[in-house]
């Protein structure tokens, strides 16, 4: 190979590497490995791991595109710089944190503290707890409205969604939903809150103007026992026309038409489909499977699983950086 050819080949490799990097990375939390698994979105292969704190669970991006993961056994959130793969700092979250959400400006963390039956407001910059609010037993899901004024927290034991006024840090309503509510999604127009009910095989649909139940979506999976249809993770498309719900031990993900509140497709994935995330183009859905230790990649247009990617032990959540 002459020098010119060699140089051309080297430039081609650099270009390919840059293109792969530009495609982005999926970060998968693992309850058993104290690490995040990194999936290259261009090749759909594991490209490495990043160490983190103990029992990493809920994970999401910050407004400035850092990775934030809650570690239940370390009682902290780990703020990770994706450029270096290193922890920037640990933010105290109180006892037994499971899930969180960030205020729209990224300055406040809202956290569910499972053992304490509390929802905490935490200042991101200082790590100080600003407020602690008593809620029902085993709080989990946390979701803040787009305007930052209203916070929703689920209580698994009480089967409630607590509606909290952020400014006063007061509960304004306790809303009864299905058994063992877990996660939530808000429609892009802000008019509805969708709540997954793990032990009710359902989603409760809440009108945010009145905080009343306006609909219930029940799931059925052919060949699955009703008690194994355990919805947890949920995500909506940016236009609000479609929702995706992970059905837990039923090992499927449901495609839902939001307007009609009907299931349009069921896709077989891994064991205990736990959480879901869409890529930026919304062409691929990533499903985290907690008992088969993998992530299933689903082609959204075809409603078909296209790949299973082994990840860490007991994977929990997934965040995508593109």
């Amino acid at each position: 190979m002459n020098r010119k050819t060699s140089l051309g080949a080297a430039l081609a490799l650099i270009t390919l590497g840059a293109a792969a990097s530009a495609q982005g990375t999926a970060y998968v939390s693992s309850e058993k490995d104290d690490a995040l698994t990194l999936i290259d979105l261009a090749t759909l292969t594991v490209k490495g791991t990043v160490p983190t704190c103990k029992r990493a669970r809920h994970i999401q991006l910050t407004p400035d595109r850092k990775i934030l993961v809650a570690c239940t056994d370390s009682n902290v959130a780990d703020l990770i710089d994706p450029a270096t793969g290193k922890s920037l700092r640990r933010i105290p979250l109180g006892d037994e944190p499971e899930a969180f959400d960030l205020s729209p400006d990224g300055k406040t963390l809202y956290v569910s503290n499972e053992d304490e039956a509390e929802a905490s407001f935490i200042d991101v910059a200082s790590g100080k707890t600003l407020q602690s609010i008593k809620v029902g037993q085993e709080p989990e899901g946390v979701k803040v409205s787009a305007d930052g004024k209203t916070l929703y927290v689920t209580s698994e034991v009480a089967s409630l969604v607590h509606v909290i006024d952020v400014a006063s840090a007061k509960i304004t309503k306790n809303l009864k939903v299905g058994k063992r509510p877990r996660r939530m999604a808000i429609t892009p127009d802000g008019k509805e809150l969708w709540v997954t009910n793990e032990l009710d095989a359902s989603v409760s649909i809440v009108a945010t103007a009145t905080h009343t139940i306006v609909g219930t979506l029940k799931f059925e999976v052919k060949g699955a026992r009703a008690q194994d249809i355990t919805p947890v993770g949920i995500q909506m498309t940016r236009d609000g026309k479609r929702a995706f719900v992970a059905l837990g031990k039923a090992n499927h993900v449901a495609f839902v038409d939001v307007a009609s509140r009907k299931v349009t497709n069921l896709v077989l994935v891994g064991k205990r489909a736990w959480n879901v995330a869409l890529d930026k183009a919304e062409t691929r859905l990533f499903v985290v499977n907690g008992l088969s230790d993998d992530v299933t990649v689903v082609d959204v247009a075809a409603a078909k699983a296209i790949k299973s990617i082994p990840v860490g032990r007991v994977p929990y959540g997934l965040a995508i950086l593109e």
Side-chain angles (χ1 to χ4, degrees), residues 28-254:
V28 186
S29 61
S30 164
E31 294 197 54
K32 295 291 186 181
D33 289 336
D34 303 338
L36 307 181
T37 301
L38 279 56
I39 298 173
D40 188 306
L41 297 188
T43 62
L44 296 180
T45 57
V46 172
K47 63 180 183 180
T49 59
V50 170
T52 188
C53 36
K54 294 180 179 180
R55 202 180 179 196
R57 300 176 90 181
H58 183 70
I59 182 172
Q60 68 184 65
L61 299 181
T62 64
D64 61 352
R65 298 175 66 78
K66 301 293 190 298
I67 308 298
L68 192 64
V69 57
C71 296
T72 300
D73 288 354
S74 297
N75 296 332
V76 300
D78 195 6
L79 183 65
I80 297 171
D81 181 1
T84 64
K86 294 182 178 180
S87 176
L88 296 171
R89 60 193 178 94
R90 304 280 172 92
I91 304 169
L93 294 185
D95 290 341
E96 199 78 11
E98 179 161 358
F100 64 85
D101 202 4
L102 282 160
S103 60
D105 61 10
K107 294 181 179 180
T108 307
L109 263 168
Y110 304 108
V111 185
S112 57
N113 297 111
E114 193 169 15
D115 282 358
E116 299 297 319
E118 290 180 343
S120 299
F121 294 18
I122 294 169
D123 181 72
V124 172
S126 67
K128 292 181 178 179
T129 299
L130 305 173
Q131 302 281 352
S132 290
I133 303 163
K134 283 291 181 183
V135 293
Q137 291 183 354
E138 295 188 24
E140 182 179 321
V142 183
K143 195 72 179 174
V144 66
S145 60
D147 61 11
K149 294 181 179 180
T150 306
L151 182 69
Y152 301 97
V153 179
T154 61
S155 166
E156 296 176 32
V157 172
S159 296
L160 294 174
V161 172
H162 304 286
V163 183
I164 299 171
D165 176 70
V166 170
S168 64
K170 301 286 186 183
I171 294 175
T172 60
K173 189 165 187 176
N174 293 315
L175 179 63
K176 195 75 173 178
V177 290
K179 288 182 68 177
R180 199 171 174 85
R182 299 298 297 263
R183 295 304 178 97
M184 296 167 283
I186 299 173
T187 54
D189 61 12
K191 292 182 179 180
E192 290 181 351
L193 175 77
W194 286 42
V195 185
T196 60
N197 303 306
E198 186 181 13
L199 298 186
D200 201 33
S202 71
V203 166
S204 295
I205 301 167
V206 178
T208 56
T210 59
H211 291 128
T212 55
I213 303 290
V214 293
T216 301
L217 171 63
K218 295 287 286 188
F219 297 103
E220 295 180 357
V221 178
K222 188 176 181 179
R225 299 178 302 171
Q227 60 264 37
D228 287 337
I229 304 172
T230 51
V232 177
I234 181 170
Q235 183 169 346
M236 290 190 175
T237 53
R238 286 188 296 273
D239 62 10
K241 292 182 178 180
R242 183 180 277 179
F244 304 92
V245 183
L247 298 183
K249 290 185 285 186
N251 303 337
H252 281 73
V253 63

